[in-house]
Amino acid sequence: MPTLSAHVNVFETGVYGLAESDLDKVFRLPTTTFIGGSEKSLPLREIIRRLEMAYCQHIGVEFMFINDLEQCQWIREKFETPGIMQFSLEEKKTLLARMIRSTRFEEFLQRKWSSEKRFGLEGCESLIPALKTIIDMSSLSGVESVIMGMPHRGRLNVLANVIRKELDQIFCQFDSKLEAADEGSGDVKYHLGMYHKRMNRVSDREISMSLMANPSHLEAVDPVVQGKTKAEQFYSGDTEGKRVMSILLHGDAAFAGQGIVYETFHLSDLPSYTTHGTIHVVVNNQIGFTTDPRMARSSPYPTDVARVVNAPIFHVNADDPEAVIYVCKVASEWRNTFHKDVVVDLVCYRRNGHNEMDEPMFTQPLMYKQIKKQKGVLQKFAEKVIAEGVVTTQAYEEEVVRYDKICEDAYNRSKDEKILHIKHWLDSPWPDFFNLDGQPKTMHSPPTGISEEELKHIGNIASSVPVEDFTIHGGLSRILKGRANMVDQRVCDWALGEYMAFGSLLKEGIHIRLSGQDVERGTFSHRHHVLHDQNVDKRICIPMNYVSPDQAPYTVCNSSLSEYGVLGFELGFAMASPNALVLWEAQFGDFNNTAQCIIDQFISSGQAKWVRQNGIVLLLPHGMEGMGPEHSSARPERFLQMCNDDPDVFPKITDNFAVHQLYDCNWIVVNCSTPANYFHVLRRQILQPFRKPLIVFTPKSLLRHPEAKSSFDDMLPATIFKRLIPDEGPAAASPEKVKRIIFCSGKIYYELTRERKNRGMDDTVAVIRIEQLSPFPFDLVKAETDRYSNADLVWCQEEHKNQGYHDYVKPRICTTTNHTRPVWYAGRDPAAAPATGNKKTHLTELQRLVDAAFDLDAFSGKI
């Protein structure tokens, strides 16, 4: 059915003065339209007449693709009512004052630091009153917290005039002589975030605002903002999004070009991810760095991606501040009424190049000739309101002088600053978690074991259906019966060990959120945290929420088929509170590479850049199972490459050395070989007095391996996570007889111990598991190498030599021994792909590396 698509070319000419033959080019209208619920054939001139009455010259609306008649009628009333866009004198004065601040702030920066990059807002100065209007209207509607994300363009202006960051703190960032006082490396000024709580003058209500720090990777912050918004709504009981909301700012080229925009939109209406409506503001300066829109997108408008979620799109000429303000009011009302996404497209221009040092005439000469002739929006608006008698010329000039003085005074104060405080730009503070100086309240990490009674209780929950008249699948009945048998035998497998960790933390009041593709059942059908009634559609049961009457809630949710967007979302969720365990599980470990931007730019380096701790957990299934190059490797070498510990320095061993190591690292990387150790590392993640990202390489075949079970004894009070598991067999009884130490990590341990037993070498070869790869357990590795002083040292892994852990582990073991004992390698040869696609070749490679590990003459004479 043909539909009305009300597009207006708002920046060029609007609808006036065009020949009738040009009209359908401008509006892209069919002559048959769908209006008011019925199909009618209307003359094109009548369509234009209606649109002229509604949209005038500077506003265009896209909404007829929305399949809800009530919503379409609501939009029509907001735009088709004659004379609806009226402003009082006070509103016009306020708008003028905000335009002065927005414009003069950029001009002040240009005067003081003309050769500095700042990614100014010139050409779209109306963005500032636009955002302030959205916040004012939202506050009037009851919103108490706003989380914002934006690119670099205009960020300093938003920090100054929307978030209200102290101007002298902003100006300090331009002083190249000042040094940072906090830990970490810091970031450039136009990436920094800020949290601020203040009184809103329009609503006379307190409102907190958070502008998220983010990297140069455009749109990467979108899902992070949504995740933090969702978390704040969750913790405050805001189930409808009436008190917490998000605003996302975009550039036109990035909005159309970056796939993460699409991924984020598709989270907007999913039950476990919805934030009940986001207001998107596009700074559409009609260019992407140097790329013309005709070369940057295939769609007519940069905002067309929003159509996939039926979000109305309001195009508005950014050179008409009154039209901008009206549209932003309507967008705020839409979000408050329907709790759905809405897009405001500020059609504007970029007065300078991509940055202030860039020459745009190289690539857009005609466009920039026109821009140079363009009168500034403040000047045009000031002339308009002066002509209308809203203010006098003298009053306008006095307001300009007043704000200039505010900037000058702040500039003079900024000269007194001696150091830069990165923590002053923290976007997600946890004031009750740390001391006033931002340091942990203690550097002690308690034992992570729990009582036998608690283990049995949680085990019984895991092996039962706590809802009456609930029919589960027959195969699942066998799984639950198997769990019950393990509880009786006082052992647990991987899935039950995870259940014990989750259940005990929930009982202690810690909210747990597990998200990812197929996490409810588990990719390998091992978890089954959500039970489905076989006779009643959509009837489910989550036994984990029946652990204790006063427990914290457990959220487990299958995600959309997205890694980049969903991992970013969970990262944002983890920012909101330190008292929650937030986990993202990849369907297979190698899928993390489609979320590499979040991993590289936010997770591994986030604390160093922005002094922002985060305790997110990544569960990455990993292991060479002979199933081909895909889904075999979670690429541990990449995570280890980004660890910040020094391979060439043996650290000073002090009290609480292990805790201090964790505090100093940028993230923790583990490869557990036992369910008990997995249980402990999950509990340690919450019980330690600070937060660090945790990367866990989880098993596949070990999920059902008969030897990969742990006794309850390994999970009782006083037990802890084992960073290294020493050999506890005959070799440990007579260390002087041991000829070789094989260091390894993860699944290969079980292959090695089986081969050692078959060869009768239990007393001559010690097999030691390094469970925590980073930060590296220098102290424990040294204890083992000293203990077996006559043994040669071998690192064995199932991954190829240029992959896996070898390049990370070998130099650290060498440092531990002060380079007095070589470390030999037993593993697969270097390769481009992670694994072979041939099962026979896989087994041959495995046998070859195992043979090398146990051939005591294999490395004789080799260097």
Side-chain angles (χ1 to χ4, degrees):
M1 182 177 292
T3 60
L4 172 66
S5 180
H7 292 101
V8 182
N9 188 337
V10 294
F11 184 63
E12 294 296 337
T13 58
V15 302
Y16 295 97
L18 294 175
E20 184 165 349
S21 60
D22 294 327
L23 289 174
D24 59 76
K25 296 178 183 177
V26 174
F27 285 88
R28 303 175 187 271
L29 286 171
T31 54
T32 303
T33 64
F34 182 64
I35 297 177
S38 63
E39 188 176 278
K40 298 179 181 180
S41 182
L42 295 176
L44 191 57
R45 175 60 69 184
E46 173 61 16
I47 295 171
I48 299 307
R49 188 195 68 77
R50 296 186 182 194
L51 290 173
E52 285 183 334
M53 177 177 67
Y55 309 125
C56 303
Q57 185 173 358
H58 294 150
I59 300 175
V61 183
E62 292 183 68
F63 67 97
M64 289 303 294
F65 53 83
I66 297 175
N67 54 13
D68 186 297
L69 188 59
E70 177 193 358
Q71 294 174 9
C72 290
Q73 190 60 36
W74 186 94
I75 293 172
R76 283 197 185 97
E77 290 175 1
K78 294 298 178 183
F79 290 96
E80 294 185 0
T81 304
I84 196 170
M85 199 174 78
Q86 299 294 327
F87 296 91
S88 67
L89 287 177
E90 282 305 310
E91 287 176 319
K92 290 187 177 183
K93 287 179 180 180
T94 298
L95 176 53
L96 177 62
R98 290 174 172 179
M99 287 300 304
I100 289 171
R101 286 175 172 263
S102 175
T103 304
R104 299 299 289 183
F105 176 81
E106 298 292 355
E107 291 177 359
F108 183 84
L109 295 184
Q110 181 63 25
R111 287 197 305 273
K112 296 296 184 182
W113 297 281
S114 59
S115 60
E116 283 273 351
K117 288 183 183 180
R118 55 184 170 83
F119 295 96
L121 199 54
E122 291 94 336
C124 194
E125 291 90 345
S126 56
L127 173 68
I128 299 304
L131 293 176
K132 292 179 77 70
T133 298
I134 291 170
I135 293 168
D136 291 344
M137 295 296 295
S138 300
S139 181
L140 283 169
S141 300
V143 170
E144 300 167 358
S145 178
V146 177
I147 295 97
M148 297 172 59
M150 69 176 296
H152 42 278
R153 186 160 313 285
R155 175 176 286 260
L156 296 180
N157 207 325
V158 170
L159 283 165
N161 290 311
V162 179
I163 307 296
R164 302 303 290 272
K165 176 71 177 173
E166 300 93 332
L167 291 178
D168 51 312
Q169 289 295 316
I170 294 175
F171 297 157
C172 279
Q173 294 291 321
F174 288 90
D175 191 338
S176 60
K177 299 185 183 68
L178 298 186
E179 294 184 4
D182 309 297
E183 73 274 12
S185 55
D187 201 350
V188 292
K189 49 191 167 291
Y190 40 81
H191 289 170
L192 299 176
M194 174 65 183
Y195 171 87
H196 186 49
K197 182 180 284 188
R198 65 179 179 86
M199 191 66 67
N200 182 275
R201 295 177 184 175
V202 174
S203 66
D204 201 29
R205 296 173 179 168
E206 202 170 57
I207 188 167
S208 42
M209 290 182 289
S210 177
L211 176 63
M212 306 300 292
N214 63 273
S216 285
H217 297 62
L218 297 173
E219 308 294 344
V221 78
D222 296 359
V224 181
V225 167
Q226 301 296 63
K228 186 170 187 241
T229 303
K230 181 67 174 180
E232 287 200 12
Q233 291 173 348
F234 176 84
Y235 295 127
S236 64
D238 184 15
T239 57
E240 297 179 352
K242 292 182 177 180
R243 299 195 302 276
V244 183
M245 68 171 288
S246 57
I247 301 174
L248 287 175
L249 278 69
H250 314 270
D252 55 315
F255 199 60
Q258 292 293 320
I260 188 59
V261 175
Y262 187 85
E263 290 188 38
T264 305
F265 266 121
H266 270 288
L267 298 177
S268 66
D269 206 28
L270 302 182
S272 296
Y273 301 88
T274 181
T275 57
H276 307 284
T278 296
I279 298 180
H280 301 264
V281 181
V282 179
V283 176
N284 182 0
N285 53 36
Q286 306 178 81
I287 191 171
F289 204 150
T290 67
T291 303
D292 187 284
R294 291 168 292 188
M295 307 301 169
R297 64 176 186 267
S298 298
S299 61
Y301 296 90
T303 52
D304 286 345
V305 64
R307 288 165 162 255
V308 299
V309 292
N310 284 335
I313 303 165
F314 303 142
H315 305 282
V316 58
N317 188 340
D319 264 12
D320 183 348
E322 290 178 332
V324 170
I325 297 313
Y326 181 73
V327 162
C328 288
K329 285 183 177 181
V330 174
S332 301
E333 290 177 32
W334 167 273
R335 196 261 171 196
N336 184 55
T337 303
F338 298 106
H339 294 283
K340 292 173 66 69
D341 284 31
V342 57
V343 177
V344 175
D345 180 22
L346 297 180
V347 186
C348 57
Y349 57 94
R350 191 188 68 196
R351 187 166 290 278
N352 300 312
H354 178 64
N355 59 67
E356 288 67 30
M357 311 308 296
D358 194 42
E359 176 50 75
M361 293 286 284
F362 288 149
T363 51
Q364 275 78 30
L366 299 182
M367 181 182 192
Y368 272 85
K369 284 178 183 178
Q370 288 296 107
I371 288 174
K372 285 181 179 180
K373 299 175 185 177
Q374 186 83 356
K375 189 184 295 185
V377 61
L378 174 60
Q379 183 182 349
K380 288 197 288 189
F381 184 61
E383 291 172 355
K384 179 179 183 293
V385 293
I386 289 171
E388 292 174 352
V390 176
V391 296
T392 64
T393 301
Q394 180 182 350
Y396 164 68
E397 291 173 350
E398 287 174 354
E399 183 68 17
V400 170
V401 170
R402 191 177 74 84
Y403 185 69
D404 285 353
K405 186 176 185 303
I406 291 172
C407 290
E408 196 66 46
D409 291 345
Y411 172 70
N412 291 329
R413 288 195 304 274
S414 72
K415 295 178 181 178
D416 297 331
E417 293 290 338
K418 306 300 180 186
I419 52 178
L420 292 175
H421 291 283
I422 303 172
K423 63 187 177 187
H424 289 172
W425 299 78
L426 191 61
D427 58 18
S428 304
W430 297 334
D432 299 328
F433 187 67
F434 297 110
N435 290 324
L436 292 177
D437 61 358
Q439 297 300 308
K441 294 181 177 179
T442 178
M443 285 301 286
H444 173 69
S445 186
T448 46
I450 59 178
S451 68
E452 176 118 10
E453 180 184 6
E454 194 170 356
L455 288 170
K456 288 183 177 179
H457 172 69
I458 297 170
N460 289 333
I461 294 292
S463 56
S464 64
V465 183
V467 177
E468 294 183 357
D469 300 323
F470 194 97
T471 305
I472 62 173
H473 190 275
L476 191 52
S477 297
R478 291 191 293 273
I479 291 173
L480 298 188
K481 184 177 180 181
R483 287 180 181 174
N485 290 336
M486 283 191 286
V487 173
D488 291 340
Q489 297 167 18
R490 299 183 68 253
V491 298
C492 66
D493 62 5
W494 201 270
L496 190 54
E498 181 182 75
Y499 222 108
M500 300 295 192
F502 286 4
S504 58
L505 289 173
L506 292 168
K507 194 168 181 290
E508 294 166 19
I510 301 299
H511 169 58
I512 297 177
R513 177 182 170 93
L514 173 62
S515 165
Q517 295 157 25
D518 310 299
V519 297
E520 296 178 5
R521 189 202 74 170
T523 299
F524 310 102
S525 195
H526 67 289
R527 183 173 286 125
H528 297 288
H529 283 187
V530 179
L531 310 181
H532 294 260
D533 194 310
Q534 299 296 294
N535 299 322
V536 182
D537 185 36
K538 297 181 180 178
R539 188 186 183 206
I540 63 171
C541 171
I542 303 176
M544 197 82 77
N545 279 321
Y546 293 82
V547 172
S548 175
D550 56 351
Q551 70 171 77
Y554 175 52
T555 303
V556 55
C557 43
N558 288 341
S559 73
S560 64
L561 199 65
S562 155
E563 290 84 28
Y564 190 172
V566 173
L567 179 56
F569 188 97
E570 302 308 332
L571 176 74
F573 199 103
M575 286 178 187
S577 171
N579 300 312
L581 184 66
V582 180
L583 309 96
W584 174 77
E585 181 175 68
Q587 189 180 66
F588 291 91
D590 55 345
F591 285 168
N592 79 77
N593 59 18
T594 62
Q596 200 70 46
C597 179
I598 298 295
I599 294 169
D600 290 358
Q601 310 307 133
F602 289 88
I603 300 179
S604 75
S605 58
Q607 183 177 354
K609 293 190 290 189
W610 306 315
V611 200
R612 182 173 71 191
Q613 292 194 17
N614 195 293
I616 191 169
V617 179
L618 275 62
L619 304 179
L620 307 176
H622 171 83
M624 309 293 115
E625 313 284 1
M627 301 303 292
E630 315 305 331
H631 309 335
S632 291
S633 176
R635 294 293 191 177
E637 65 277 3
R638 295 180 179 171
F639 291 91
L640 293 172
Q641 180 194 33
M642 289 186 280
C643 296
N644 67 352
D645 60 334
D646 193 330
D648 302 319
V649 176
F650 189 86
K652 183 179 180 181
I653 309 301
T654 60
D655 293 340
N656 286 329
F657 169 73
V659 178
H660 283 278
Q661 256 199 323
L662 294 175
Y663 181 73
D664 292 335
C665 75
N666 62 316
W667 59 11
I668 304 163
V669 181
V670 302
N671 186 12
C672 302
S673 62
T674 70
N677 233 17
Y678 179 51
F679 160 87
H680 283 296
V681 81
L682 291 177
R683 285 184 51 79
R684 185 185 74 173
Q685 186 70 358
I686 284 294
L687 296 180
Q688 64 192 9
F690 43 80
R691 294 291 173 261
K692 299 285 178 174
L694 172 64
I695 314 300
V696 185
F697 299 117
T698 56
K700 293 177 289 183
S701 61
L702 291 192
L703 296 174
R704 296 176 176 83
H705 196 292
E707 295 178 35
K709 288 187 170 68
S710 294
S711 167
F712 280 11
D713 292 337
D714 296 327
M715 305 160 75
L716 294 176
T719 58
I720 61 172
F721 172 73
K722 296 178 180 179
R723 295 177 292 143
L724 178 148
I725 301 179
D727 195 307
E728 297 174 348
S734 303
E736 70 281 356
K737 296 180 181 179
V738 172
K739 297 180 179 179
R740 173 165 295 175
I741 302 174
I742 301 177
F743 288 103
C744 65
S745 187
K747 177 176 76 72
I748 193 65
Y749 166 79
Y750 294 94
E751 307 282 355
L752 292 171
T753 53
R754 182 183 63 186
E755 187 71 18
R756 180 177 64 176
K757 182 178 181 180
N758 291 340
R759 294 177 181 238
M761 301 176 71
D762 287 345
D763 57 345
T764 56
V765 176
V767 181
I768 298 169
R769 289 168 275 178
I770 298 180
E771 303 275 293
Q772 179 177 290
L773 293 148
S774 183
F776 192 73
F778 285 97
D779 54 333
L780 301 182
V781 171
K782 186 177 189 309
E784 294 302 308
T785 55
D786 290 349
R787 182 182 190 184
Y788 302 101
S789 57
N790 299 324
D792 58 18
L793 311 179
V794 172
W795 171 258
C796 182
Q797 64 178 36
E798 59 178 350
E799 297 82 3
H800 291 279
K801 189 175 184 179
N802 59 324
Q803 301 167 27
Y805 324 96
H806 172 258
D807 288 345
Y808 178 86
V809 169
K810 180 177 177 178
R812 287 163 175 80
I813 297 178
C814 289
T815 296
T816 301
T817 63
N818 201 23
H819 297 273
T820 57
R821 298 161 72 180
V823 179
W824 309 112
Y825 170 75
R828 288 180 166 89
D829 294 334
T836 177
N838 183 281
K839 185 73 172 181
K840 182 178 180 181
T841 303
H842 164 77
L843 295 174
T844 300
E845 291 174 345
L846 178 61
Q847 188 59 51
R848 187 184 299 130
L849 74 88
V850 169
D851 288 343
F854 287 99
D855 184 352
L856 299 183
D857 298 320
F859 306 111
S860 177
K862 290 186 178 181
I863 298 177

